[in-house]
Amino acid sequence: LGTHFKGEGVGGATTMELYEQLTAQGDKVRSLKTAKADKADVDAAIQLLLKLKVDYKEVTGQDYKAGCPPSGTAVSNDRQSENGGEEDTVDPWNVATNSAKGVDYDKLIVRFGSSKIDQELVDRIEKVSGQKPHRFLRRGIFFSHRDMNQVLDAYEKQKSFYLYTGRGPSSQAMHVGHLIPFVFTKWLQDVFDIPLVIQLTDDEKYLWKDLSLEDCHRFAEENAKDIIACGFDVNKTFIFSDLDYMGSSPEFYRNVVKVQKHVTFNQVKGIFGFSDSDCIGKISFPAIQAAPAFSSSFPQIFKGRKDVQCLIPCAIDQDPYFRMTRDVAPRIGYPKPALLHSTFFPALQGAQTKMSASDANSSIFLTDTPKQIKNKVNKHAFSGGKDTIEEHREQGGNPDIDVAFMYLTFFMEDDEQLEKIRQDYTSGILLTGELKKMLIETLQPMITAHQENRKNVTDEMVKQFMTPRPLNFNF
Ligand code: TRP
């Protein structure tokens, strides 16, 4: 607990113990309400909750805020103290923080050595593309980049580039968070009118998970349907399974080998944390995720050109792969790929971790029915609201830790409407139940539309997207 203040509190309890007691009591009140328990029981639980809050304020001088543990200084907005001074965990396999607001992305930019997508860059993307920036850019959901200005400089001089993104097909079940990079990539493809390659790493999932090769390959094709349903143009998009494309493309494999020769075991140990007992497939896999960042891996699209620059939109946890790729690129005679990084899509339970398909309760799946969506949001979405209506009206809710509000920032298009919701929630005019209802009404039609689109994706179409072929561009 690092820097947490551990002073003596009421009855000898430390502030941290008091905080934990309070959090548990809040949970208890909520579950009693959900279970529609006896009114007397609910009231008694609320009474205790309110008493604990008074105690808490007496001891800490601060109002209790769910998800924000007590800090040493009386008034502190410093994230360092909020998450106990511990570093957030962000790598391709784990995302975790102690802060209910989620990962501290500004700190991550410093740690990873990337650059912030500031207003100036957003304005520039608008100017160069001639389009209103996507809401993910307007709202800082794509928040970090590498070399985006270089891509725009070249584009202004009529030099094209291409997009590369991917997905690890670990199951049939995709959730709404998985769509974020694809929704954004589709927008980039539309506004810049450029080729796109999408890597499905069925090999990676076989190496990392307890799955058969055939299952991973099947999941790749199933996931391709969800990706295609995002609206990609078949004339501008190549989707490939590593298991299929690696074996059929000499140029791709040559690039894999080039990368393999230029990265040592020590380097991948440092970047990915591999150990001596990891299978050698894992140790060499990063070269396979690097290869699509080089245009010569796709001679059918780029006619053998090796100098077309690549732009990779991805969640920030994939950055280690591309730090390695950028390190190797000049040594094997290729341009470094540029990157656009997104934040994580929070789990229903709170932004301490990202949505994960392996935890059904943390996720809204693309196959969920309107009723399932409603139930999950109502039951599991972590609320930044107060425990009682009276308190909420008086003190207002905290949108920064409220999962329903966070999801609306991803999916609600109208900036003014979203800002009004933020203000009304903060002031207490808008109640948690009302906020959740808005989210439910945003998600339901969105997911139903996705399901319709997916139904219209035939096996024939999947085959078309996944066949190596020239695209509608002249290189
Ligand atoms: N490793 C990624 C995953 O497990 C899949 C992936 C491959 C990817 N290439 C990519 C993601 C490029 C983003 C960009 O999800």
Side-chain angles (χ1 to χ4, degrees), residues 23 76 84 103 151 260 303 307 320-321 346 364 372 390 425 435:
T23 306
S76 167
V103 168
V151 171
Q260 285 174 342
K303 315 278 152 41
D307 62 339
Y321 286 107
I364 300 204
Q372 283 173 315
E390 297 70 38
Y425 195 59
L435 177 66

Side-chain angles (χ1 to χ4, degrees), residues 344-358:
F344 303 110
F345 194 75
L348 275 166
Q349 283 73 10
Q352 287 88 346
T353 186
K354 64 174 177 172
M355 189 173 268
S356 158
S358 49

Side-chain angles (χ1 to χ4, degrees), residues 99-113:
S99 168
K101 292 183 188 170
V103 168
D104 186 331
Y105 290 106
D106 284 332
K107 263 199 206 152
L108 212 54
I109 286 175
V110 175
R111 232 169 85 198
F112 283 13

Side-chain angles (χ1 to χ4, degrees), residues 31 40-41 66 99 154 168 173 200 212 239 253 279 281 405:
S31 66
D41 292 344
S99 168
L200 301 175
S212 73
I239 305 179
Y253 187 55
C279 73
F405 183 78

Side-chain angles (χ1 to χ4, degrees), residues 177-392:
H178 290 137
L179 288 186
I180 306 304
F182 294 106
V183 167
F184 188 61
T185 302
K186 150 97 175 111
W187 181 80
L188 289 170
Q189 179 179 54
D190 287 347
V191 305
F192 290 107
D193 188 29
I194 43 174
L196 161 65
V197 297
I198 300 176
Q199 178 179 47
L200 301 175
T201 52
D202 36 16
D203 51 351
E204 174 191 18
K205 293 302 146 179
Y206 171 71
L207 291 167
W208 261 269
K209 307 245 163 179
D210 187 18
L211 294 167
S212 73
L213 263 177
E214 279 328 302
D215 279 344
C216 295
H217 186 256
R218 194 164 49 80
F219 295 153
E221 289 185 343
E222 285 303 312
N223 290 176
K225 291 186 186 161
D226 284 292
I227 294 169
I228 293 167
C230 294
F232 292 107
D233 182 343
V234 69
N235 296 310
K236 300 177 183 174
T237 309
F238 174 46
I239 305 179
F240 62 98
S241 127
D242 282 347
L243 292 176
D244 291 336
Y245 188 60
M246 272 274 278
S248 78
S249 171
E251 294 80 4
F252 190 93
Y253 187 55
R254 277 165 169 72
N255 280 337
V256 170
V257 174
K258 282 187 190 175
V259 176
Q260 285 174 342
K261 180 162 171 165
H262 290 83
V263 182
T264 66
F265 184 30
N266 260 328
Q267 284 170 318
V268 286
K269 266 199 237 178
I271 302 171
F272 300 97
F274 298 146
S275 75
D276 289 3
S277 49
D278 276 308
C279 73
I280 60 172
K282 287 188 186 179
I283 292 154
S284 59
F285 172 77
I288 301 174
Q289 185 155 331
F294 306 129
S295 62
S296 59
S297 296
F298 307 97
Q300 66 281 9
I301 302 173
F302 301 106
K303 315 278 152 41
R305 273 181 59 178
K306 53 178 205 172
D307 62 339
V308 184
Q309 190 172 20
C310 176
L311 172 64
I312 308 172
C314 63
I316 185 86
D317 64 329
Q318 297 298 304
D319 189 65
Y321 286 107
F322 303 119
R323 284 202 294 269
M324 184 199 84
T325 308
R326 285 168 55 86
D327 180 59
V328 173
R331 292 190 277 137
I332 58 178
Y334 296 143
K336 290 182 180 187
L339 286 140
L340 291 171
H341 298 123
S342 75
T343 61
F344 303 110
F345 194 75
L348 275 166
Q349 283 73 10
Q352 287 88 346
T353 186
K354 64 174 177 172
M355 189 173 268
S356 158
S358 49
D359 177 0
N361 283 335
S362 85
S363 295
I364 300 204
F365 292 105
L366 300 177
T367 47
D368 282 348
T369 63
K371 198 165 161 214
Q372 283 173 315
I373 294 170
K374 181 171 169 208
N375 288 341
K376 278 193 204 173
V377 169
N378 280 334
K379 203 162 162 197
H380 298 297
F382 181 80
S383 169
K386 294 292 181 298
D387 296 306
T388 68
I389 292 188
E390 297 70 38
E391 274 184 299
H392 189 90

